[in-house]
Amino acid sequence: MRNSAFAVWWKNWTVVLLMVFVSALQADENLPEMRPPKPIEGAVNHLDVAYLPDRLTGCWEDRWLKMNIHVPPGEGPFPCLVFVHGGGYGGGDKDGGLWNAGPGSEFSTRVKAVEAGYVVVNMNYILTYGGASQPQVFWDFRSAIRFLRANAEKYRIDPGRIGAWGFSAGGWLASSASFADADDLYRLRATAQPGFDQRLHLLELPYDDPRAPYDAFSSRLTCVVADLWKSPELLRPQSPALLTLVGAGANHRDAEKLGGGRMDLLQFTNPKYAGQSSLHVPKVTEPVKSLHGNGESTYEVEALRWLDQELTGDKVRAIPPEARPLLRRFAEQVAIRLIAASPDAVIHYTIDCSEPNSSSPVFERPFTITDTTVVKAISVRQGERPSAASIATFVKGEPPPAIMGPETIVLPSARVGRPYSQAFVAVGASVWNLTGMIDLSQQGNKRFVDPGIRLDATTGVLSGAPQRAGAFTFQIQAAQGFFKQADARCYLLNVEPADNE
């Protein structure tokens, strides 16, 4: 989905700046460094489960890549509800934070969801300030959903019925990551280099990781509850259903910008919200207008009712298929795979731009295309309504340069004060960029730091004498030029203290 570069840049970064104050509250240096995971009474609790095990560093017990999974009693499979905490992308935690303590908190809502028969997941994600973790954090969210499907039998999850409830930045994360497809491109400002304006030097990255772990599983959701969400043009018929929040008598501010998807509005009746076209982290105990009548209820009760409607019963809609490969450009030919959210779903597809239905060919094995092709596909699952059609456009043309090395995520270690050099390799790349450089060993505003090393934008060599120790995660991008699609890979670099420390 392509917008003007400056408009996309301005929209994303103004919202990030508005969230900095909330981030600062959650990143208070006086907060405890580690919150113990909270079990839910009566559930089978799987605590601090690593959903990206190849990215573990040992710092802070790798809290940022872990989730809690609370399984209700019974054989299952059960629908699954993923809670995503807020904090301005710079704070918060799955087991604590601004909206996660006491009666009416996110934790008490999770307890009620388990009691209602959901597998409840509360997850962490990489945190930093100013959106520097994007788009990696979107990729990681999708990988988390794939992890749950890869382990659906172990955790008694119905893989065809997974929803998310996000608060603040968590709502932005869950919605952006699940509304977008691999066809959609995220425009990223290149790191500042002498002599050019960052607003005019952008790289395009897919919203999904071309090297996604658990590649055999879908990352799509059935539905999302979100108070804060962006990019309304990404909400399309194949997107999850969205429940979002407004004041009484108001329509959502982005209602006219939707790409055709379904958005339901939950109206808050407290007079202080009257006419507000978007609400940000109201308490779950706030009064709202019932979604099924004129009576009054609460945010928590109505959101859980809406989730029941979307995730249980005979009116559930199947999740659209995903297409592979996730990189949509190819040189000569490419083999196409279609993946259903649930293994018992049947996929019907077309490659002639017609709309698929239950009479269209059934996907049984990969097929090869040799020209630009639009693949449309639906999932049909017993007991559910057929899905909307997913659309994947595979374009014949020069693909972005692929980052070939280093192949391992963990780079050779560096040491403070000693010269360090690491070359990255991508045939045909003329522009290199680095984003993130997040110190996973730190908390709060110390996390996004400059360790004292630089990536050369033309050679792809990371070098310098590091000035501070830490465990750094960052993303490397390579492209044939600005305003072109880039390849990207996530890496980890451990910087050891100086010899005399």
Side-chain angles (χ1 to χ4, degrees), residues 129-457:
Y129 288 102
S133 60
Q134 299 174 12
Q136 186 67 50
V137 68
F138 299 148
W139 293 8
D140 291 350
F141 179 84
R142 298 177 78 117
S143 293
I145 303 304
R146 291 184 176 117
F147 170 85
L148 292 172
R149 286 202 168 95
N151 293 277
E153 184 174 355
K154 178 179 179 180
Y155 299 121
R156 289 179 272 168
I157 294 171
D158 182 341
R161 301 188 179 194
I162 301 180
W165 189 342
F167 300 81
S168 188
W172 182 352
L173 171 56
S175 59
S176 293
S178 59
F179 294 167
D181 292 322
D183 289 35
D184 298 308
L185 297 178
Y186 178 92
R187 284 189 166 176
L188 178 78
R189 292 190 304 164
T191 303
Q193 299 289 333
F196 71 74
D197 185 339
Q198 283 181 284
R199 293 174 299 175
L200 303 177
H201 290 75
L202 300 172
L203 299 175
E204 297 179 333
L205 294 169
Y207 268 89
D208 206 348
D209 185 353
R211 300 176 183 82
Y214 321 110
D215 178 69
F217 299 91
S218 170
S219 67
R220 291 189 184 274
L221 297 176
T222 303
C223 55
V224 174
V225 179
D227 56 349
L228 178 67
W229 55 284
K230 304 304 298 177
S231 303
E233 71 280 358
L234 296 179
L235 184 62
R236 295 162 294 199
Q238 68 267 32
S239 302
L242 170 68
L243 178 67
T244 194
L245 319 178
V246 297
N251 199 359
H252 194 272
R253 63 189 179 194
D254 289 328
E256 302 301 320
K257 303 176 185 177
L258 301 185
R262 178 179 144 218
M263 176 179 68
D264 293 337
L265 300 179
L266 188 58
Q267 294 192 20
F268 282 63
T269 58
N270 189 321
K272 70 180 181 180
Y273 297 125
Q276 293 189 28
S277 61
S278 179
L279 303 185
H280 187 213
V281 289
K283 294 181 180 179
V284 295
T285 54
E286 286 275 5
V288 301
K289 181 180 178 181
S290 172
L291 289 168
H292 302 288
N294 296 319
E296 193 169 89
S297 184
T298 68
Y299 174 19
E300 179 182 69
V301 168
E302 289 304 300
L304 288 173
R305 284 178 179 170
W306 185 85
L307 288 162
D308 278 343
Q309 167 189 297
E310 301 301 317
L311 291 168
T312 67
D314 58 2
K315 294 185 179 180
V316 174
R317 193 171 195 184
I319 296 175
E322 279 189 345
R324 300 288 187 276
L326 291 168
L327 179 63
R328 300 301 203 228
R329 297 184 69 90
F330 65 97
E332 298 296 333
Q333 62 181 32
V334 65
I336 307 299
R337 291 183 293 136
L338 299 176
I339 297 173
S342 180
D344 60 350
V346 177
I347 298 175
H348 297 269
Y349 72 100
T350 65
I351 56 173
D352 59 0
C353 291
S354 64
E355 294 301 315
N357 55 45
S358 57
S359 299
S360 301
V362 174
F363 176 77
E364 296 177 329
R365 62 184 62 86
F367 58 90
T368 299
I369 60 174
T370 58
D371 205 349
T372 296
T373 302
V374 177
V375 180
K376 296 185 179 183
I378 62 169
S379 288
V380 177
R381 191 184 188 203
Q382 186 173 4
E384 298 177 357
R385 295 181 296 143
S387 76
S390 62
I391 303 172
T393 303
F394 293 89
V395 178
K396 186 173 184 178
E398 190 172 12
I403 300 175
M404 307 300 294
E407 293 185 0
T408 57
I409 290 177
V410 181
L411 300 175
S413 295
R415 187 171 293 276
V416 170
R418 289 188 181 181
Y420 180 83
S421 181
Q422 174 65 61
F424 298 89
V425 179
V427 177
S430 60
V431 173
W432 291 86
N433 192 54
L434 181 152
T435 55
M437 200 53 83
I438 304 164
D439 187 354
L440 300 177
S441 69
Q442 298 292 329
Q443 66 169 347
N445 57 15
K446 296 180 181 179
R447 189 179 303 118
F448 186 40
V449 298
D450 180 1
I453 52 178
R454 297 285 186 274
L455 179 74
D456 189 296

Side-chain angles (χ1 to χ4, degrees), residues 85-171:
H85 71 78
Y89 287 115
D93 183 84
K94 64 182 174 64
D95 295 303
L98 210 57
W99 307 289
N100 205 20
S105 68
E106 183 186 327
F107 180 76
S108 68
T109 304
R110 294 199 299 266
V111 172
K112 292 177 182 178
V114 168
E115 293 172 348
Y118 288 93
V119 174
V120 167
V121 175
N122 50 307
M123 62 174 286
N124 277 342
Y125 49 92
I126 289 177
L127 301 175
T128 186
Y129 288 102
S133 60
Q134 299 174 12
Q136 186 67 50
V137 68
F138 299 148
W139 293 8
D140 291 350
F141 179 84
R142 298 177 78 117
S143 293
I145 303 304
R146 291 184 176 117
F147 170 85
L148 292 172
R149 286 202 168 95
N151 293 277
E153 184 174 355
K154 178 179 179 180
Y155 299 121
R156 289 179 272 168
I157 294 171
D158 182 341
R161 301 188 179 194
I162 301 180
W165 189 342
F167 300 81
S168 188

Side-chain angles (χ1 to χ4, degrees), residues 12 34 44 260 347 377 383 385 470:
N12 287 341
M34 192 73 68
V44 177
I347 298 175
R385 295 181 296 143

Side-chain angles (χ1 to χ4, degrees), residues 415-419 464-468 495-498:
R415 187 171 293 276
V416 170
R418 289 188 181 181
Q467 299 301 304
R468 61 177 295 161
V495 180
E496 303 285 354

Side-chain angles (χ1 to χ4, degrees), residues 22-34:
V22 174
S23 303
L25 286 175
Q26 292 229 318
D28 190 325
E29 298 297 336
N30 295 319
L31 290 176
E33 289 194 355
M34 192 73 68

